[in-house]
Amino acid sequence: KPAKILKVQASVGGRVEELLVKENQLVSKDQLLLTLNNDTQKRQLELSRLQHKVNENNVVDRERQLKLANVQIKVNENNVKDRKKQFKLAEIQIQVSLNNVKDLEANLKDIQRRLKDEETLFEQGSSTRSQLDVLQLQYSRGEIALKNTELGLERSRQEISRAKINVDNTILNLERSREDMNGSKLGVVNAQLAVERSKHDVALREDALEDTLIKAKIAGIITAKSFE
């Protein structure tokens, strides 16, 4: 009489494909007793393994995107520095142009005063026409130089406006690239979680496939068969 009787049962349903033992046969622990049809489990396992491989590739892609996002941040940070330098140079250029305008205005006023004095002297006969013409030429040249400098000042103001816009735009680009990096970090984490889930799914599918192989849990003698 057996000291212990153990009923070996299938944990999944299916058609019996092969019965490997007979009654009164001695079997060892983990010896295969019968197999169930496992085509569905095999297909599911293959799909799970394929999905796991896809998820692993997704992790690699997300990590690559994260590296690119880090590089883009560095580029945008350098762009911000460059644009700020350009803005400072534009400010300096405006100050130079302003000083030039002031100097030319003062010089033009001085020439204008001298020209009036020279006109008075010329009318009195104390000066020559050539001296008067020289001062008039200087005054005309001074007016032209002042206008050109004022035009340059206006261009400098336009340049500083563009430089300010460029600074603002590069700062916005930097903020967007930082947001992209945060999104890439989240993408890496999600991809890693997907790998863990698919790995767990593969393990479940492997267990399900293993459940179609009915094995003896203890060593002993086959006393009865429930299937033929």
Side-chain angles (χ1 to χ4, degrees):
K1 183 178 180 180
K4 182 178 182 181
I5 297 176
L6 177 65
K7 292 182 179 180
V8 181
Q9 297 176 328
S11 60
V12 295
R15 183 182 297 277
V16 176
E17 283 192 334
E18 189 176 9
L19 185 61
L20 302 173
V21 293
K22 300 177 180 179
E23 290 185 4
N24 298 320
Q25 179 180 337
L26 180 65
V27 296
S28 59
K29 184 179 179 180
D30 293 329
Q31 182 175 335
L32 186 60
L33 305 179
L34 64 86
T35 61
L36 300 176
N37 183 285
N38 56 14
D39 289 343
T40 301
Q41 287 83 357
K42 285 181 179 179
R43 285 194 295 271
Q44 290 176 344
L45 177 58
E46 287 301 317
L47 288 174
S48 296
R49 286 174 175 169
L50 181 61
Q51 185 61 50
H52 182 63
K53 188 65 177 177
V54 170
N55 291 339
E56 287 180 332
N57 291 334
N58 286 340
V59 169
V60 175
D61 291 339
R62 298 295 183 274
E63 289 176 343
R64 187 180 296 113
Q65 291 175 2
L66 179 59
K67 290 181 180 179
L68 290 175
N70 281 323
V71 171
Q72 189 60 49
I73 282 179
K74 294 294 183 183
V75 170
N76 289 336
E77 286 176 343
N78 291 332
N79 287 340
V80 169
K81 292 178 181 178
D82 291 339
R83 297 297 183 273
K84 286 183 176 180
K85 287 179 181 178
Q86 292 174 2
F87 182 74
K88 289 181 179 179
L89 289 174
E91 286 182 325
I92 293 172
Q93 185 59 46
I94 279 186
Q95 190 60 48
V96 170
S97 297
L98 284 171
N99 292 335
N100 289 338
V101 167
K102 291 178 181 179
D103 291 341
L104 288 172
E105 286 176 342
N107 184 55
L108 192 62
K109 288 180 179 179
D110 181 64
I111 295 174
Q112 188 178 28
R113 178 184 57 76
R114 289 162 53 197
L115 181 60
K116 288 181 178 180
D117 292 342
E118 194 67 28
E119 287 175 346
T120 302
L121 292 174
F122 178 73
E123 290 174 355
Q124 294 174 351
S126 300
S127 178
T128 64
R129 168 60 67 177
S130 60
Q131 291 175 328
L132 180 62
D133 290 343
V134 168
L135 283 176
Q136 287 177 338
L137 180 60
Q138 289 180 356
Y139 185 78
S140 297
R141 288 176 176 175
E143 284 184 323
I144 294 172
L146 178 59
K147 288 180 180 179
N148 289 336
T149 305
E150 287 174 343
L151 289 174
L153 176 60
E154 186 61 29
R155 285 194 296 269
S156 297
R157 285 171 175 162
Q158 293 174 357
E159 288 176 1
I160 198 171
S161 297
R162 287 194 294 268
K164 181 65 169 62
I165 293 172
N166 289 335
V167 169
D168 293 338
N169 289 337
T170 51
I171 290 174
L172 287 176
N173 290 334
L174 177 59
E175 291 301 319
R176 282 196 292 268
S177 60
R178 285 172 176 167
E179 291 176 358
D180 290 341
M181 187 185 70
N182 291 332
S184 297
K185 286 181 178 179
L186 184 60
V188 169
V189 173
N190 289 336
Q192 290 172 341
L193 290 175
V195 167
E196 291 301 318
R197 285 194 297 269
S198 59
K199 183 178 179 181
H200 180 65
D201 189 55
V202 167
L204 291 177
R205 298 302 179 189
E206 288 175 344
D207 290 342
L209 182 62
E210 185 68 20
D211 287 342
T212 64
L213 307 175
I214 312 304
K215 299 178 181 180
K217 293 181 172 58
I218 61 173
I221 298 173
I222 303 299
T223 61
K225 297 187 299 180
S226 301
F227 298 96
E228 295 295 339

